[in-house]
Amino acid sequence: MRTMFTPLKIAGMEVKNRTFMAPMSLGYESQDGTVNEKMEAYWLRRAEGGVGCIIVDATSVDPNVPYLGNTLCFRDEESIKKYKSFTDKVHAYGCKIIPQITHPGPESISAFFGVAPVASSSYPNSMGQMTRELSKEELPGIVALYAKASKNAKEAGFDGIELHCAHAYMLLGSFLSPLRNKRTDEYGGSLLNRARLLFEVLDAIKETCGEDFPIVLRMSGSERDPQGNTLEDMKRLIPYLEKHGVDCFEISGGTQYERCNKIIPCHGEEEFTNLKEARAIRQIAAKPVITVGKILDAQLAEDVLEASEVDGVVLGRALLADPDFVDKAEAKRYDEIAPCAACGVGCVGEQTKRRPASCVINPLAGRELEFEEKPAAEEKDILVIGAGIGGLAAARILAKRGHHVVVFEKEGKAGGQLNLACRAPFKQEISKWIVYLLQECDRYGVEIRYETEANADVIKAENPDIVILATGAKPIVLPVEGMETMIQANDVLSGKVLILGGNAAIIGGGMVGIETAEYVLHHSRGAARVTLIEMTDSIGQGMVPNNLVPTMVRLGQERVQMITGAKVKNVDAGTITVDTKQGEMKYPGFTHVICAVGSKAWNPLHEEIKDTYETYVIGDAKEVAQALEAVREAYELGYRL
């Protein structure tokens, strides 16, 4: 049998396979700290899909110290009963479940209620609020809270707990990391002193819950910061942690503030981000070692487990993208797995906007109760115009439900704007969405006609019952003097215009502008310089932090000049004139001026055909947005028709 699908024993818990679902804060929580119907359906769907053990999102040991908005917690006996009902349902699928127990500490939102968040030392947290250093006399009370929450978890039917001590984050992480811990008592200074509170918490949980009740410790194999804990530090700690009761090590990496792109690795980060550290720790640990961090490829995960590099894999966004990831992998139906492309747009980006998380390729994530996948009541002939991600997603759902679907695509290949997006350095992963959707469309019998431009006569000849317009968007031409001398960013990214060197100005410092800057620098064949000119006060507005942070580092290394708060007035012989708060300024000497100021909806057919056919407009053809919105609209329409 393949190793990934063999059982794994962790203290008194036996997991049916070597797959775990990572805790991810997605904004689905209830105000009372229990699992509501939405969260329950989301987790049960992953249990149904074959994952071996679910690790529930951050669960505060103190109901009065919330993490983010509505924090999971064990508030009273009634809440324990509600959790027991939930864990029973998970167990019915043969799946184990453990909560991630934590004291939010510095990451608590208690400051909004007039109470300073606590930490190992005093420092500004991620919200810019100053933390209060815990006194030594307060620590036994903190330890007792961890023990009580773990006991409550056991009473609620959980199979064990995960203890959060990673990323120099939350309370235990703030004590363990030299980045945060500046104490001068026996809880600060040396590595073992910084780990003292963690040891006390572990001892208390084991004493309260028994030796067989598993403790999984989430830790950074390396904080990847010159001031932080190193792999060698963590290796030295392993024997002590095992002595104090850790039954399994989950190896993550990075730090919350400085290295967030290492915690949730997006574009430009390698797959199995923390495998090097996990492999090294497994070589010295007596207890199982599992790892998390951009584990997206089922076959790669199988190879790593087959080689005994780690004992288990922790899947996060891969299970948002496809709740059946594990079952499909076991059946070797790899091509049917909806792929995570590590974009962070739905899972991280929506949360940064204080909206419930979603997923570009799977808009049903978190909305499992809203859609019932059933055959269409009546089979119809449906024509989709445009084979971008929105058009293909709609075609897939409609064909899967039994409709006859034909797609017209004016180009010689599918993908639309994603064909350009995946050309930028570090973004090739995005192409996985189109590869998957094309395979799915083929599986469900969708006919795609390439190099077929739609017009009223062509549509009439097809005689469809329904027409879906997914014709996308066109680049905006900046309406200023000298605009005819500008090059469109799309023409650069497509290779239509080659820029192999020189001094390029890119007007527009959003995502497309940044992609174009990196593309130009990567493909230069001689000396090349790039300047980004942005009208607003910041570069990369709207980009997911986990992508923006490493991108800005790369742009800095390439010495890209960034001019913000500058509205372009005109372009004349390589000189760009802009309006700023300080007045008019001129920037001369550019060999190329590239326009990347956005796109506008392109929908030339709607008015012509809307009275003849039942017609719908989706994606950029309706309103310019991201792939997230295009696929969401496609799914909603596909389940409605």
Side-chain angles (χ1 to χ4, degrees):
M1 179 179 282
R2 291 134 70 202
T3 303
M4 185 163 161
F5 307 103
T6 59
L8 178 63
K9 185 83 169 174
I10 302 174
M13 173 177 72
E14 184 172 276
V15 183
K16 66 181 179 182
N17 57 42
R18 305 299 179 101
T19 65
F20 297 74
M21 182 176 183
M24 293 173 282
S25 296
L26 302 174
Y28 304 158
E29 296 84 356
S30 297
Q31 286 187 337
D32 67 355
T34 58
V35 175
N36 56 36
E37 288 186 356
K38 178 175 183 169
M39 286 192 88
E40 181 175 279
Y42 155 74
W43 272 316
L44 290 177
R45 182 66 187 84
R46 275 76 195 165
E48 179 187 11
V51 71
C53 179
I54 291 171
I55 307 172
V56 169
D57 302 352
T59 304
S60 179
V61 301
D62 187 345
N64 298 314
V65 182
Y67 171 64
L68 297 178
N70 302 321
T71 306
L72 297 176
C73 60
F74 303 108
R75 195 171 293 278
D76 49 31
E77 288 300 319
E78 187 59 34
S79 74
I80 292 173
K81 290 179 183 177
K82 289 182 180 179
Y83 274 108
K84 181 64 167 64
S85 173
F86 166 58
T87 58
D88 285 346
K89 293 174 184 176
V90 172
H91 290 147
Y93 289 101
C95 180
K96 302 298 184 184
I97 184 165
I98 62 177
Q100 186 186 76
I101 298 292
T102 189
H103 188 299
E107 274 59 59
S108 168
I109 61 170
S110 59
F112 295 112
F113 310 110
V115 179
V118 297
S120 59
S121 303
S122 182
Y123 58 85
N125 68 8
S126 57
M127 293 167 278
Q129 302 157 339
M130 207 64 183
T131 62
R132 178 179 68 81
E133 180 176 315
L134 280 165
S135 70
K136 192 166 65 172
E137 290 71 28
E138 292 177 279
L139 298 183
I142 297 288
V143 172
L145 286 173
Y146 274 97
K148 183 176 184 294
S150 300
K151 181 182 179 184
N152 289 341
K154 187 174 183 179
E155 292 169 349
F158 287 98
D159 300 287
I161 62 145
E162 175 171 88
L163 207 54
H164 192 300
C165 192
H167 314 144
Y169 193 52
M170 302 203 197
L171 190 63
L172 291 180
S174 84
F175 269 81
L176 186 61
S177 176
L179 267 167
R180 312 281 184 254
N181 188 334
K182 309 300 179 183
R183 298 177 74 95
T184 55
D185 59 14
E186 62 266 41
Y187 289 89
S190 70
L191 176 63
L192 292 181
N193 274 2
R194 299 196 309 273
R196 189 182 300 274
L197 180 61
L198 172 58
F199 295 157
E200 292 174 357
V201 167
L202 289 166
D203 291 344
I205 293 172
K206 281 297 182 183
E207 184 178 347
T208 302
C209 298
E211 289 297 319
D212 283 344
F213 192 65
I215 299 176
V216 178
L217 183 70
R218 173 173 267 209
M219 58 188 282
S220 292
S222 167
E223 290 179 346
R224 296 198 174 98
D225 189 282
Q227 301 180 69
N229 284 316
T230 66
L231 173 58
E232 292 306 311
D233 291 329
M234 296 299 97
K235 286 166 66 176
R236 291 187 190 101
L237 267 188
I238 296 300
Y240 293 93
L241 292 168
E242 291 180 335
K243 176 183 174 183
H244 286 279
V246 172
D247 299 298
C248 177
F249 299 96
E250 183 198 350
I251 308 304
S252 185
T255 61
Q256 182 61 27
Y257 310 154
E258 300 85 357
R259 302 285 183 271
C260 67
N261 54 302
K262 300 298 182 182
I263 300 172
I264 306 177
C266 292
H267 296 146
E269 301 292 341
E270 62 183 344
E271 290 200 47
F272 267 97
T273 307
N274 302 299
L275 182 58
K276 171 189 168 185
E277 291 80 10
R279 186 193 298 121
I281 288 170
R282 188 183 187 275
Q283 289 172 355
I284 63 168
K287 300 298 173 70
V289 174
I290 60 180
T291 190
V292 70
K294 204 174 179 180
I295 302 173
L296 309 178
D297 186 315
Q299 289 174 281
L300 182 57
E302 288 187 45
D303 290 343
V304 167
L305 290 169
E306 207 66 42
S308 298
E309 296 184 70
V310 291
D311 299 294
V313 291
V314 185
L315 308 166
R317 292 167 295 165
L319 287 171
L320 286 182
D322 196 330
D324 295 313
F325 181 101
V326 177
D327 276 352
K328 289 177 180 177
E330 187 168 15
K332 297 186 178 182
R333 292 158 47 207
Y334 302 114
D335 289 345
E336 295 178 30
I337 296 175
C340 169
C343 70
V345 171
C347 48
V348 178
E350 290 296 276
Q351 279 283 270
T352 61
K353 298 170 186 173
R354 297 291 183 262
R355 296 199 288 248
S358 183
C359 174
V360 170
I361 201 65
N362 179 25
L364 304 189
R367 302 179 68 186
E368 286 78 10
L369 294 174
E370 298 179 41
F371 298 93
E372 182 182 359
E373 194 165 291
K374 58 183 180 181
E378 178 186 354
E379 180 183 337
K380 295 186 177 181
D381 291 324
I382 299 179
L383 178 61
V384 179
I385 311 297
I389 190 170
L392 291 178
R396 172 188 177 271
I397 293 295
L398 291 163
K400 186 178 181 182
R401 295 189 58 230
H403 294 296
H404 176 255
V405 182
V406 175
V407 179
F408 284 179
E409 170 52 50
K410 68 174 182 175
E411 303 294 340
K413 62 187 293 189
Q417 296 289 330
L418 292 190
N419 287 319
L420 304 180
C422 71
R423 286 176 176 265
F426 306 107
K427 296 190 73 173
Q428 188 275 334
E429 292 169 296
I430 287 176
S431 65
K432 293 192 291 187
W433 289 333
I434 300 303
V435 173
Y436 163 74
L437 287 171
L438 285 173
Q439 289 170 334
E440 287 287 285
C441 284
D442 182 63
R443 190 156 70 93
Y444 292 115
V446 174
E447 181 185 353
I448 302 177
R449 299 180 194 169
Y450 295 104
E451 298 180 337
T452 303
E453 187 155 7
N455 56 43
D457 291 337
V458 172
I459 294 171
K460 182 179 180 181
E462 198 65 29
N463 192 29
D465 298 309
I466 297 171
V467 178
I468 297 173
L469 298 172
T471 45
K474 293 285 188 181
I476 293 172
V477 178
L478 194 64
V480 298
E481 186 180 344
M483 64 183 183
E484 68 280 356
T485 65
M486 295 181 194
I487 304 164
Q488 281 294 336
N490 283 11
D491 290 336
V492 176
L493 292 170
S494 68
K496 183 177 178 180
V497 175
L498 291 177
I499 298 177
L500 302 179
N503 185 16
I506 299 173
I507 301 172
M511 184 163 59
V512 174
I514 287 174
E515 289 172 353
T516 307
E518 292 207 272
Y519 182 90
V520 168
L521 291 167
H522 178 74
H523 289 282
S524 66
R525 296 297 180 263
R529 288 187 296 159
V530 170
T531 298
L532 285 166
I533 301 175
E534 168 57 36
M535 183 172 63
T536 68
D537 292 331
S538 62
I539 298 292
Q541 275 196 359
M543 285 183 66
V544 175
N546 305 62
N547 283 323
L548 183 60
V549 168
T551 300
M552 293 301 283
V553 170
R554 294 194 299 268
L555 293 179
Q557 290 169 342
E558 294 282 358
R559 294 183 174 83
V560 172
Q561 183 181 11
M562 302 180 201
I563 301 169
T564 57
K567 185 177 181 179
V568 174
K569 289 181 64 177
N570 63 65
V571 179
D572 181 22
T575 295
I576 299 176
T577 304
V578 301
D579 277 333
T580 72
K581 293 176 183 177
Q582 292 75 38
E584 184 179 283
M585 299 186 71
K586 293 182 182 294
Y587 295 95
F590 294 113
T591 56
H592 307 84
V593 179
I594 303 167
C595 184
V597 295
S599 302
K600 57 184 178 181
W602 188 69
N603 180 17
L605 289 170
H606 185 247
E607 289 301 316
E608 191 174 359
I609 68 170
K610 67 178 183 178
D611 296 328
T612 307
Y613 307 97
E614 184 180 341
T615 306
Y616 300 91
V617 185
I618 63 171
D620 283 352
K622 179 180 178 183
E623 182 179 1
V624 174
Q626 293 182 309
L628 179 74
E629 287 79 15
V631 179
R632 179 190 294 155
E633 289 176 14
Y635 268 60
E636 290 172 350
L637 180 61
Y639 278 102
R640 191 166 74 242
L641 294 180

